Amino acid sequence: MSLSVQSLTKEYGNQKAVNDLSFDVSGGTIMGFLGPNGAGKSTTMKIVSCYLSPTHGTAEVCGYDIHKNPLAVRKHIGYLPEHNPLYLDMYVREYLQFVAGIHKISNKTNRVKDLIEMTGLGKEQHKQIGALSKGYRQRVGLAQAIIHDPNVLILDEPTSGLDMNQLVDIRNLIIELGKTKTVILSTHIMQEVQAMCDRVIIINNGALVADDPIDRLSERISGEQVVTINLLDNNVDLNRLKKIKGVTKVAYTQDGIVITSDFDDDIRQQIFEHAVASGWVIIEMKKEEVSVEHVFQKLTKEIKDA
């Protein structure tokens, strides 16, 4: 097991930033690590990376305990924090050679050259880091995180600040790295989770609320369905739709009228029959696939409201 978190707890006074959290992740997995702001994601990642000590519990990275062998843990982890700390006065190539020296990498010149090509920093390699855009700084941060070829890669908002072309490049790189490494990906961009991750863990108030393969996450809220309709005239009384059996919510959006139902059977026939009886002309009706974003909102909101 590349990463094992066991009953991890971090307390600040009376507040539990992480609350008895446990999970395991094997190699060759890209795991989405999700939660609302303040849920305990960054705290967990800092503990696993030996930047913080837990109040209770422990974690193991490639068999090394964070309490007993913190140096060995650090050797097996690459970490890109949300607020990417870089030496802004150093040049890109100079900085990566400096980091390679810290890790005592043999033939560091070739390793830096390979990483510059891998992360698309070729045109920027002779610039000062302080002169780079945020997107290119993220690339430098990712390069330093993988320079020592770690088994576990922890990425906190790695695509922040990237334009669409840069995002696709970094996404492809992360997917490639995930074939042989354990990648822990924390992001608020749910489309990135669906595009890259094999598995998703969701935490809220420091506690685990979901741990599922990406293709089974929707089962967490099975029975709920979302249908979007567009009428020839969308200016209708939504209260009529709320009378359909099983409908829990009806709302106008930029995509049309969105109808949410907890009814087990497909409600599209009832919607169609209701529209005909009301004299409405449906020009489009589609049943939405349950997205990671929808599951995330449902699970974290339920916990918060409870």
Side-chain angles (χ1 to χ4, degrees):
M1 196 64 61
S2 295
L3 175 62
S4 179
V5 173
Q6 304 152 21
S7 302
L8 207 62
T9 299
K10 180 64 176 179
E11 298 174 352
Y12 294 100
N14 295 325
Q15 181 183 1
K16 286 187 177 181
V18 181
N19 186 6
D20 195 28
L21 184 62
S22 298
F23 60 86
D24 297 318
V25 191
S26 59
T29 300
I30 302 178
M31 187 193 82
F33 190 43
L34 311 179
N37 290 333
K41 303 185 301 299
S42 293
T43 300
T44 301
M45 290 185 284
K46 288 175 182 177
I47 291 172
V48 170
S49 305
C50 299
Y51 282 85
L52 284 176
S53 297
T55 306
H56 307 291
T58 190
E60 291 184 358
V61 176
C62 299
Y64 295 101
D65 188 277
I66 59 172
H67 297 293
K68 299 175 183 178
N69 298 288
L71 187 58
V73 168
R74 290 188 178 103
K75 287 181 179 179
H76 286 84
I77 279 184
Y79 180 35
L80 175 62
E82 180 179 4
H83 302 292
N84 188 2
L86 299 168
Y87 291 108
L88 302 184
D89 291 334
M90 295 183 76
Y91 294 87
V92 172
R93 178 176 286 274
E94 175 192 15
Y95 172 71
L96 293 178
Q97 288 178 335
F98 168 70
V99 175
I102 292 174
H103 287 288
K104 298 180 180 179
I105 294 172
S106 59
N107 202 352
K108 64 181 181 180
T109 299
N110 285 343
R111 179 58 177 163
V112 169
K113 180 181 177 181
D114 291 343
L115 275 176
I116 286 174
E117 181 179 352
M118 187 186 302
T119 54
L121 285 165
K123 294 181 179 179
E124 312 296 323
Q125 62 182 305
H126 300 300
K127 288 185 179 180
Q128 282 186 310
I129 294 174
L132 299 178
S133 67
K134 185 177 181 181
Y136 277 109
R137 290 187 193 185
Q138 283 295 90
R139 290 173 183 247
V140 175
L142 183 57
Q144 67 80 27
I146 62 177
I147 198 166
H148 56 300
D149 195 24
N151 299 95
V152 178
L153 189 57
I154 298 177
L155 307 176
D156 196 354
E157 302 289 349
T159 56
S160 174
L162 303 182
D163 63 33
M164 186 54 64
N165 292 331
Q166 292 174 330
L167 191 150
V168 170
D169 291 341
I170 295 300
R171 178 195 294 168
N172 291 338
L173 175 57
I174 292 172
I175 290 172
E176 189 63 30
L177 291 168
K179 293 178 181 179
T180 56
K181 303 181 186 301
T182 298
V183 179
I184 311 299
L185 174 68
S186 178
T187 179
H188 287 93
I189 306 173
M190 297 301 164
Q191 295 92 330
E192 291 303 290
V193 176
Q194 290 192 272
M196 288 189 280
C197 296
D198 310 301
R199 175 179 163 199
V200 173
I201 282 180
I202 301 175
I203 65 172
N204 196 44
N205 296 325
L208 186 74
V209 296
D211 180 358
D212 295 281
I214 189 80
D215 57 352
R216 293 180 56 191
L217 189 62
S218 62
E219 294 176 10
R220 287 276 174 175
I221 55 172
S222 59
E224 183 168 271
Q225 54 185 304
V226 179
V227 175
T228 300
I229 63 171
N230 276 287
L231 306 176
L232 188 61
D233 179 8
N234 275 334
N235 188 23
V236 298
D237 183 3
L238 297 187
N239 288 320
R240 292 187 180 185
L241 292 169
K242 292 177 182 178
K243 294 178 181 179
I244 297 175
K245 184 179 179 181
V247 169
T248 57
K249 183 180 178 181
V250 181
Y252 283 115
T253 72
Q254 61 181 7
D255 297 320
I257 300 171
V258 177
I259 303 163
T260 305
S261 168
D262 60 7
F263 199 52
D264 290 334
D265 296 330
D266 194 329
I267 64 166
R268 284 178 290 183
Q269 182 174 345
Q270 292 185 62
I271 293 171
F272 179 79
E273 291 173 351
H274 190 86
V276 171
S278 301
W280 302 342
V281 178
I282 297 177
I283 57 175
E284 182 183 34
M285 178 165 58
K286 59 182 179 180
K287 188 175 180 180
E288 306 290 345
E289 294 295 327
V290 177
S291 66
V292 173
E293 181 176 6
H294 187 66
V295 176
F296 173 84
Q297 290 177 334
K298 179 75 174 177
L299 290 177
T300 56
K301 188 176 186 299
E302 282 182 348
I303 297 297
K304 184 177 179 180
D305 291 345

